[in-house]
Amino acid sequence: MTHITIENKKYVLIPEESYKALQKSAALKHHPEKTFSIAGARALSKKLIRKWSAEK
């Protein structure tokens, strides 16, 4: 691992194999956002519309 400073910003250089391993472990920890079914989306949108209209 090599430390480099360019214009007062610090950077770290690592071997490509280590970078790929870090990417893979980060991808495994990532959980995509849950998507709604059509019925669930409609229910949520109706709820938000009612909330919005009550505020006005």
Side-chain angles (χ1 to χ4, degrees):
M1 197 161 49
T2 306
H3 299 278
I4 298 175
T5 304
I6 301 173
E7 295 179 6
N8 295 327
K9 293 182 182 178
K10 296 181 181 181
Y11 298 92
V12 178
L13 295 176
I14 59 173
E16 186 175 358
E17 297 83 25
S18 300
Y19 176 72
K20 297 283 184 183
L22 284 172
Q23 262 189 331
K24 185 176 181 179
S25 65
L28 292 174
K29 292 179 184 177
H30 179 263
H31 299 289
E33 292 183 15
K34 183 180 177 183
T35 55
F36 294 107
S37 65
I38 293 176
R42 283 186 181 144
L44 179 65
S45 63
K46 286 180 183 181
K47 178 182 169 185
L48 292 174
I49 289 169
R50 287 188 184 115
K51 180 180 174 184
W52 173 78
S53 64
E55 290 175 356
K56 287 210 162 209

